[in-house]
């Protein structure tokens, strides 16, 4: 039977100095590789930062160009500039708010409301976006919701005199006029119904006048039924109108005439 012994370890015949040199070289290569990875990650991150900075810078330039165009009433061109800026910085709430103002100047209220809502989705604390939204809602005739938007703007920036004195005051005045108009319309409709009910006379169908009228109508109908008018068309196509009495003799021969009432 064969006897068991300890297995020889791998690399047992390699000298200690050679082993230490190999380990040192491997450690250097690992450090170099780790350094290359770190440099690559850093370079990628830096490129992203530079690209973002360029986008923000270009977006700012486009925003200013659009603002200058809007001041000169070149609204369509301004919107085009701001749309380009939004491609670079889609989370910029001020771009949407400015776009909403210009759309209102073009009397495009539905897109103006949408643009203001997009601004508030990106920055719900923007008091000027709430103010712009309220003005766009007023343009659509949505007075109650516009008042709420102005109130939200004041809640964020209570010391804004423009919203207090102009926007909210005007919206409340319009709301009071709207309620008064509705009240007047309801009252006019009620008066119209009441007048219509009063205009129908209450006839006494058993009075002597009504009985006399009914008797006269009956006599007239009786006289008309006593004399009957007959249209007779001969076989040759001749048309003749004949008034016959109740005691009228027999009608003409049906072989010669066609009788029509």
């Amino acid at each position: 039977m064969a006897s068991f012994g300890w297995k020889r370890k791998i690399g047992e015949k390699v000298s200690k100095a050679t082993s230490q040199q190999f380990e040192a070289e491997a450690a250097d290569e690992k450090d170099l590789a780790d350094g290359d990875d770190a440099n690559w990650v850093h370079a990628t991150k830096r490129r992203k930062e530079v690209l973002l900075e360029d986008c923000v810078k270009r977006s700012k330039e486009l925003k200013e160009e659009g603002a200058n165009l809007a001041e000169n009433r070149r609204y369509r061109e301004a919107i085009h500039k701001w749309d380009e800026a939004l491609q670079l910085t889609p989370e910029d709430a001020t771009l949407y708010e400015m776009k909403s103002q210009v759309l209102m100047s073009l009397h495009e209220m539905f897109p103006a409301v949408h643009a203001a809502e997009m601004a508030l989705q990106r920055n719900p604390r923007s008091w000027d976006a709430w103010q712009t939204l309220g003005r766009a809602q007023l343009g659509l005739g949505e007075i109650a919701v516009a008042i709420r938007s102005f109130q939200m703007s004041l809640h964020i920036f209570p010391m804004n005199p423009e919203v207090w004195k102009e926007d909210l005051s005007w919206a409340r005045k319009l709301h009071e006029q709207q309620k008064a108009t509705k009240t007047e319309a309801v009252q006019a409709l009620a008066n119209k119904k009441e007048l219509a009910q009063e205009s129908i006379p209450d006839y006494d169908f058993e009075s002597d006048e009504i009985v006399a009228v009914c008797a006269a109508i009956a006599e007239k109908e009786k006289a008309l039924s006593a004399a009957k008018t007959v249209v007779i068309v001969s076989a040759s196509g001749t048309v003749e109108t004949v008034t016959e009495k109740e005691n009228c003799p027999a009608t003409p021969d049906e072989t010669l005439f066609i009788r029509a009432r």
Side-chain angles (χ1 to χ4, degrees):
M1 180 180 293
S3 61
F4 291 97
W6 295 105
K7 293 182 180 181
R8 181 176 295 176
K9 296 181 180 180
I10 297 176
E12 185 178 358
K13 292 184 178 180
V14 180
S15 65
K16 186 175 182 180
T18 303
S19 177
Q20 290 176 349
Q21 182 180 0
F22 176 78
E23 291 176 356
E25 292 176 353
D28 292 339
E29 291 178 358
K30 182 178 180 182
D31 293 339
L32 182 61
D34 292 341
D36 291 340
D37 291 341
N39 291 334
W40 179 82
V41 172
H42 179 72
T44 302
K45 184 177 180 181
R46 180 56 186 164
R47 280 197 296 270
K48 290 182 178 179
E49 291 175 353
V50 171
L51 180 60
L52 181 60
E53 290 173 359
D54 291 341
C55 289
V56 172
K57 182 179 179 181
R58 180 55 182 160
S59 176
K60 185 178 180 180
E61 293 174 354
L62 291 168
K63 182 191 294 187
E64 293 176 355
E65 292 175 10
N68 292 330
L69 290 169
E71 289 178 359
N72 294 322
R73 300 180 182 274
R74 297 165 63 180
Y75 299 130
R76 294 294 180 187
E77 297 176 56
I79 291 175
H80 180 69
K81 292 291 183 182
W82 292 333
D83 285 339
E84 288 184 15
L86 285 170
Q87 296 295 323
L88 301 173
T89 54
E91 297 303 315
D92 190 343
T94 58
L95 286 170
Y96 284 104
E97 192 272 332
M98 295 165 68
K99 184 177 177 181
S100 178
Q101 292 188 49
V102 169
L103 287 169
M104 279 191 286
S105 299
L106 293 171
H107 304 288
E108 297 182 10
M109 296 305 174
F110 281 107
V113 170
H114 177 70
E117 289 174 345
M118 294 292 287
L120 288 170
Q121 287 180 10
R122 284 150 180 79
N123 184 12
R125 299 288 301 171
S126 174
W127 63 266
D128 49 353
W130 280 110
Q131 181 185 21
T132 302
L133 176 61
R135 291 178 175 179
Q137 290 166 339
L138 274 183
L140 290 178
E142 300 291 339
I143 301 175
V145 291
I147 290 175
R148 179 185 177 277
S149 297
F150 294 140
Q151 290 173 342
M152 289 294 297
S153 178
L154 285 172
H155 178 74
I156 298 169
F157 183 26
M159 302 305 294
N160 187 351
E162 186 180 19
V163 178
W164 271 115
K165 298 178 180 179
E166 297 181 14
D167 297 310
L168 188 57
S169 177
W170 173 245
R172 285 176 173 170
K173 183 178 180 180
L174 289 177
H175 192 239
E176 292 297 328
Q177 292 177 354
Q178 186 182 53
K179 290 194 299 183
T181 302
K182 288 182 178 179
T183 303
E184 291 177 0
V186 171
Q187 185 63 37
L189 182 60
N191 294 338
K192 186 176 180 180
K193 289 183 178 179
E194 184 179 354
L195 181 61
Q197 292 176 354
E198 293 177 354
S199 63
I200 300 176
D202 187 12
Y203 291 112
D204 182 7
F205 291 98
E206 295 182 357
S207 64
D208 296 339
E209 292 82 0
I210 298 299
V211 172
V213 171
C214 292
I217 293 173
E219 289 295 330
K220 185 176 181 180
E221 291 292 334
K222 184 177 179 181
L224 291 174
S225 61
K228 298 180 180 179
T229 302
V230 179
V231 179
I232 300 176
V233 182
S234 65
S236 62
T238 304
V239 179
E240 183 179 1
T241 303
V242 178
T243 301
E244 58 181 14
K245 305 290 185 178
E246 290 184 351
N247 55 357
C248 182
T251 57
D253 189 354
E254 294 182 357
T255 60
L256 299 178
F257 298 97
I258 300 173
R259 181 172 179 176
R261 294 185 181 277

